[in-house]
Each structure stands twice: as C-alpha cells, then as structure tokens.
Amino acid sequence: MANLKEVRNRIASVNSTQQITKAMKMVSAAKLKRATNAIVQLRPYATKLKEMLANLSASIEDGASPYLQEREPVRILVVVVTSNRGLAGAFNTNAIKTANNIIAEKYSEQLQAGNVSIVAIGRKAQDYYTKRKYNVIGDNNEVYSNLDFLNVSKITEAIMQGFVDGKYDRVELVYNHFRNAAVQVLVTEQLLPVPKAEAETKATKSTADQTDYILEPSKKAIVEQLIPKNIKIQLYRAVLDSNASEHGARMTAMDKATDNAGDLLKALKLSYNQARQAAITTELTEIVSGAAALSNG
C-alpha cells in the first residue's frame, strides 16, 4: 500500500508539471507571434541599410568616420545577448559558450591581460560573467521589459562612445539568429569598427550591379548619419532576433517537456496498475488461504 501511495503522489506531481509546461508553451507561442512580427518587419530595412552603407563605403576615405577606424585589437568588448529567464533548452548556454569560444580562440592574450570586457544583454549572461569575475559593464536586464529601438539605442550609444574614446578597439556581437520556432542559429558579428569587407565585396562587383545613388546634401553628411544609425539598427536587430529565438526555444522546450511528462505518466500508470493488481492478488490469496484454513479446522 505504501508503494501504491508513492506512485499516486508521483502521478499527481507529473500531472501538475504537465499542466504548467502546457501553459508555458501556450504563453511562449503567443509571445513568439509578436516577436516574429517585429523582427520580420525590421529585417528588410536593416538589410537595405547595410547595402547602402556598403555601396557608399567603397569610396569613403579612411578617417571619414570614427566608427571605421581600424586599430590594433588591444581592448576588446564582447556583447552577449541572452534572455532574462531560463527553461528554454540550451538557448542561453549556447550563446555564452559561443562567446567564451571567441574569447579563448581570438582574444586569449587580451583576456590574460585583463583587457576583455563584457556587455551582457539579458540576466543569464549578466549573472554568468559577474560570478566569474569578468569586467561586466552596466546592467541591461530591463531592456526586455520595454523592448524598443530607443532603449536598445541607449546601450548602443554607450558602446559607440566607448569605441570613439578608445576604451575598446574592437566590439564583437554574439546572439541567436531566429530562423523558425525550432531552429535558432548562433551568429558572431564584428560590430565595431564597421567591417570594411562589405565595402570591398561591393566594390568588386561589376558596375552594372552597383546602385547609383543620388546623394543629398552630400556623401559626407549622409555617411556621418548613416553609419551610426546602421550600428544602432544592427544591435537592435540582434536583440529582436534573440528575443524571437528565446520564445521559439522555450516553446519547443516546453513542448518536449509536455510530451516527456505524458510518456512518464503512461509508465507510472502502468506501474500503478501492476502494483494494484499485485496487491489485490495478494489479498485474494490471503482470503482464500484463510477460508481454507477455517474449513479444514
């Protein structure tokens, strides 16, 4: 009987857990829809802005923008985008692991010299790097409470100012790119200085492939505004991508957890029925044995 009670308690516990995972899956599905709409609407604009910058950068002189200045990478800033909450499978772990791999492979000397800093967007990265005594700059956990361009731009402006002031010679960005609810792709990008490879790729194309822009008031004035805006848009896009990826990863994780709970319930109910049948059989045997003893007596 004690075994039956234990199995009943486990069945009740798994039932409760399954209800929670179902509810979390539904909540994540609703949030995923809104997050997906936001990133899908922004991507064409962000992509076109990068194309325009690449087209103009082909003829930009060195020093035309402080954000194009290439320096020896002595001081490194790594921007790691995670979420504030867990229960999303390996979503946060993979982002942190990718950032750690970049630091270990590309900037090990800078790390040993204490010249690697972290900007964490999301509590999971903030807690991880703070506990490990990294130089974590700022606290950006509240950005998800009101995720809009203005709030993300404040983070970007601080990063850009640090680059201009020489606090960082290179800024790397790590985030999850949203492909669909089940697939998130980890992406590493150089945020600053703005990579010139894009401009070179554009320059190598034939003249017929290049867009002939009419620039007003002047190329210099447009570039001065376009490059900072592009940097802000790219970080905002990365945060929106990560936000959509988080909800997709959590929805998938909760769906799998619900299925696993269902499988566990089947096994527990089978175990319960077997134990119950064994108990009934034992009781019947005892009754028959008792009746036989009485009749013999």
Side-chain angles (χ1 to χ4, degrees):
M1 293 302 292
N3 186 44
L4 284 174
K5 184 177 180 181
E6 181 184 342
V7 175
R8 278 200 302 268
N9 289 339
R10 287 193 65 191
I11 289 174
S13 176
V14 174
N15 262 321
S16 176
T17 301
Q18 189 180 47
Q19 291 175 1
I20 293 171
T21 56
K22 279 183 179 178
M24 291 183 68
K25 175 188 171 184
M26 294 175 65
V27 170
S28 293
K31 291 182 177 180
L32 175 63
K33 180 64 176 175
R34 294 193 296 269
T36 302
N37 290 339
I39 187 58
V40 167
Q41 291 172 6
L42 180 68
R43 272 180 185 164
Y45 175 72
T47 302
K48 192 62 179 177
L49 190 60
K50 288 186 76 173
E51 288 179 0
M52 291 174 62
L53 178 62
N55 183 275
L56 293 173
S57 296
S59 56
I60 293 177
E61 298 178 357
D62 292 339
S65 171
Y67 306 112
L68 295 173
Q69 184 181 358
E70 293 280 354
R71 298 194 291 260
E72 184 70 23
V74 176
R75 293 167 292 275
I76 308 300
L77 179 68
V78 181
V79 183
V80 187
V81 186
T82 61
S83 66
N84 284 344
R85 298 164 53 228
L87 295 177
F91 172 79
N92 293 308
T93 303
N94 288 341
I96 292 171
K97 187 182 296 184
T98 300
N100 290 344
N101 288 341
I102 291 171
I103 294 171
E105 293 171 7
K106 295 177 64 177
Y107 306 115
S108 59
E109 293 181 4
Q110 291 88 337
L111 179 63
Q112 292 174 2
N115 290 331
V116 173
S117 302
I118 303 289
V119 165
I121 301 178
R123 185 171 287 109
K124 290 299 179 180
Q126 183 86 21
D127 293 346
Y128 176 90
Y129 288 107
T130 300
K131 288 177 181 177
R132 285 156 181 80
K133 308 301 181 183
Y134 279 79
N135 180 28
V136 181
I137 299 170
D139 186 337
N140 307 300
N141 299 335
E142 297 304 318
V143 71
Y144 290 110
S145 301
N146 185 17
L147 184 53
D148 58 21
F149 180 71
L150 181 61
N151 285 331
V152 179
S153 290
K154 293 176 182 177
I155 302 172
T156 316
E157 287 170 359
I159 294 171
M160 292 163 62
Q161 189 60 50
F163 180 80
V164 172
D165 292 344
K167 293 180 181 178
Y168 326 117
D169 300 311
R170 184 171 296 171
V171 180
E172 299 274 5
L173 173 62
V174 179
Y175 66 97
N176 280 276
H177 171 76
F178 177 77
R179 185 168 292 174
N180 56 53
V183 180
Q184 300 84 39
V185 181
L186 278 161
V187 175
T188 303
E189 296 178 356
Q190 181 177 307
L191 190 65
L192 287 168
V194 176
K196 294 182 179 180
E198 296 178 8
E200 292 170 2
T201 302
K202 192 74 177 180
T204 57
K205 293 183 179 181
S206 63
T207 306
D209 291 335
Q210 295 190 22
T211 306
D212 186 16
Y213 293 108
I214 299 174
L215 305 177
E216 291 290 343
S218 68
K219 180 184 291 187
K220 180 181 178 182
I222 290 175
V223 167
E224 286 176 354
Q225 297 184 34
L226 186 62
I227 291 178
K229 187 169 188 177
N230 177 62
I231 298 168
K232 293 178 183 179
I233 286 292
Q234 298 314 315
L235 184 56
Y236 182 49
R237 173 185 55 79
V239 176
L240 288 184
D241 252 323
S242 183
N243 186 48
S245 297
E246 175 198 350
H247 296 308
R250 182 170 293 112
M251 188 181 75
T252 302
M254 291 302 100
D255 183 53
K256 290 180 179 178
T258 302
D259 291 343
N260 291 339
D263 293 339
L264 184 56
L265 279 174
K266 290 179 183 178
L268 286 172
K269 287 176 180 178
L270 179 61
S271 177
Y272 177 78
N273 289 334
Q274 289 173 341
R276 187 165 174 268
Q277 288 173 358
I280 293 171
T281 302
T282 301
E283 289 176 2
L284 287 173
T285 302
E286 291 173 353
I287 291 171
V288 170
S289 298
L294 289 173
S295 63
N296 292 332

